[in-house]
Amino acid sequence: MLHCYLEGLPLLYRKSVDTLSPYVPGFQPAMDGSVIKINSNENPYPPSPKVKELLGGFDFRQLRYYPDATSQPLRELIGAQHGLSSRQVLCGNGSDEVISLIFKVFFEQGDTVATPYPTYTFYKSVADIINVKVAFVDTAEDFVIDLQGLVNTGAKGIFIANPNAQTGRLLPLQSIEELLNRYNGLVVIDEAYIDFAGQQSSAVHLIGAYPNLIVLRTLSKSYSLCGIRVGFCIADESLIHAMDKCRDSYNVNHLSQIIAAAALSDQPYLETTVERVVRSRDKLEDELHKLGFTVYPSHANFLLCKPHQRSAADIYNYLKAQQIYVRHFDSPRLSDKLRISIGTEEEVESLLRHLRQYLGSDAAAHT
Ligand SMILES: *Cc1c(COP(=O)(O)O)cnc(C)c1O
């Protein structure tokens, strides 16, 4: 461990920082033409052409002004799209910023939040910074989330990614409603992947009925806009008001605000790309089955799968040598599996070609 003691000076940062393990993002290879990057659940298709149009006509002189401090036009658009008021919406520099803000506003040292295992690892990274404890509640063998287990922790808040990160498992809306009916703490439903599951599964429909619910969304995945860092949350006005008081001023920059608005306004494009990704996901699932993998049912833009002929680590390394980057988590219940983001049709074909080659006759024996 690296300690930053300077001679003659006291420790300058909080002691607990020494033991933090920060969030580990997927490996970012230099992107030349032959690299296939399917390790961070990025969308393989470009953002809406409306974004290109907007940027082409953008007057750079506008950048000398501060952005709208509250992202008000964006809040109004998002509110209108969900039949809600802009006062029920807050925008952030990616949903990661909103997650950090939630911890800052709703929890303090010594509190506990509960979350399923496995899930998005960023929740724990943020909790650790402010010494909030995380109670992990193991999912079932097939990764179904144990809602009663989450309630039983007695935690002050519950974080659920739906569809869940790493697994792609979708919790039906009815289960979320049941959870809200018997739990009074804060419930955060992180819907980073909900567009791939279908809007009918969104907990946004429950806003209004449950003032302890926060629904998180991002433009990173389904809108192909990881690069601009825009996420938002929808919740009761009183919660949004509290969060607004603690947020950085100008937390969403001007370009990101207007790009996000352009992309959100192009719903037909969203539907087309989501359909393409879902079609490729279904095809990849079939083909992985044929290659002898166990594939977990996913409602997101990735598949979690378990190989049987070779170890997940071997396959990961083989693919990496071919410049195909998938995700391998060296953690309990995941180290024998791979998480593969859905690429373009060509990328999926290329992945399958390399897998068939590597697994060779072993694979044929399984079909
Ligand atoms: C990708 C992801 C995020 C982060 O989204 P950003 O808006 O890019 O910060 C949040 N939650 C989950 C579950 C994710 O997979």
Side-chain angles (χ1 to χ4, degrees):
M1 207 178 296
L2 182 67
H3 295 267
C4 298
Y5 292 102
L6 291 177
E7 199 130 2
L9 281 179
L11 182 65
L12 295 177
Y13 51 85
R14 290 187 286 130
K15 187 99 188 75
S16 60
V17 172
D18 259 340
T19 53
L20 287 180
S21 29
Y23 177 72
V24 184
F27 179 65
Q28 297 288 342
M31 290 303 288
D32 70 40
S34 53
V35 171
I36 297 182
K37 185 176 184 304
I38 41 177
N39 65 352
S40 297
N41 299 341
E42 289 145 327
N43 198 308
Y45 301 110
S48 159
K50 303 274 187 239
V51 171
K52 187 177 178 191
E53 214 171 283
L54 171 83
L55 289 174
F58 181 71
D59 177 3
F60 78 102
R61 286 170 297 195
Q62 285 186 35
L63 293 177
R64 70 195 173 88
Y65 299 114
Y66 277 104
D68 188 297
T70 57
S71 309
Q72 189 55 27
L74 195 51
R75 290 192 202 207
E76 276 166 23
L77 174 63
I78 293 163
Q81 287 188 331
H82 294 96
L84 297 166
S85 149
S86 64
R87 291 187 304 278
Q88 293 166 292
V89 181
L90 179 138
C91 301
N93 184 38
S95 53
D96 282 353
E97 190 204 13
V98 184
I99 293 166
S100 294
L101 184 60
I102 290 170
F103 273 95
K104 199 158 138 182
V105 174
F106 297 95
F107 305 103
E108 58 198 338
Q109 177 158 4
D111 287 345
T112 301
V113 299
T115 194
Y117 182 85
T119 193
Y120 189 42
T121 56
F122 186 70
Y123 310 139
K124 167 129 170 78
S125 307
V126 177
D128 284 350
I129 295 170
I130 56 167
N131 300 309
V132 165
K133 294 184 213 100
V134 178
F136 285 108
V137 176
D138 229 356
T139 52
E141 178 64 28
D142 57 1
F143 295 113
V144 169
I145 291 171
D146 174 7
L147 291 175
Q148 191 55 49
L150 289 167
V151 173
N152 291 348
T153 60
K156 202 177 168 198
I158 293 176
F159 281 71
I160 297 175
N162 196 41
N164 198 7
Q166 335 308 3
T167 72
R169 265 275 177 190
L170 179 74
L171 204 55
L173 185 55
Q174 198 190 332
S175 306
I176 295 172
E177 195 163 11
E178 280 163 21
L179 169 69
L180 286 159
N181 283 333
R182 62 191 138 111
Y183 180 74
N184 290 327
L186 186 73
V187 175
V188 179
I189 305 293
D190 180 347
E191 298 191 335
Y193 303 106
I194 198 73
D195 291 323
F196 301 103
Q199 286 291 327
Q200 73 285 351
S201 302
S202 172
V204 166
H205 303 298
L206 305 176
I207 298 285
Y210 300 94
N212 57 331
L213 168 66
I214 298 181
V215 178
L216 269 175
R217 292 282 184 90
T218 176
L219 276 84
S220 291
K221 314 285 164 57
S222 53
Y223 289 91
S224 316
L225 285 169
C226 287
I228 66 164
R229 316 298 308 122
V230 175
F232 56 91
C233 71
I234 300 181
D236 186 81
E237 217 178 303
S238 62
L239 305 193
I240 297 294
H241 181 66
M243 291 173 76
D244 254 322
K245 287 207 252 177
C246 304
R247 148 184 90 72
D248 287 351
S249 47
Y250 309 116
N251 62 328
V252 184
N253 73 70
H254 178 67
L255 276 169
S256 294
Q257 288 188 35
I258 60 176
I259 291 170
L264 286 168
S265 301
D266 193 355
Q267 289 296 308
Y269 183 81
L270 173 78
E271 283 159 29
T272 310
T273 36
V274 163
E275 262 169 41
R276 273 181 96 173
V277 168
V278 168
R279 218 178 309 126
S280 294
R281 180 186 75 200
D282 294 347
K283 172 169 166 102
L284 179 60
E285 184 178 351
D286 285 350
E287 296 298 325
L288 288 173
H289 274 304
K290 288 184 198 162
L291 281 165
F293 286 69
T294 300
V295 186
Y296 297 88
S298 169
H299 284 84
N301 65 338
F302 58 85
L303 287 173
L304 184 71
C305 60
K306 179 178 167 173
H308 294 281
Q309 310 97 312
R310 299 280 191 124
S311 75
D314 282 354
I315 296 176
Y316 169 83
N317 285 318
Y318 171 79
L319 291 173
K320 189 172 161 190
Q322 317 302 312
Q323 301 213 51
I324 299 178
Y325 295 87
V326 299
R327 194 83 193 259
H328 178 239
F329 294 91
D330 194 11
S331 42
R333 300 183 60 194
L334 296 175
S335 59
D336 58 347
K337 302 177 182 72
L338 296 170
R339 191 197 68 186
I340 305 175
S341 310
I342 306 305
T344 61
E345 285 92 353
E346 297 73 34
E347 287 171 335
V348 169
E349 274 312 318
S350 178
L351 167 74
L352 286 167
R353 230 176 7 254
H354 283 97
L355 282 175
R356 286 184 199 112
Q357 194 160 351
Y358 183 57
L359 300 172
S361 48
D362 277 12
H366 278 257
T367 55

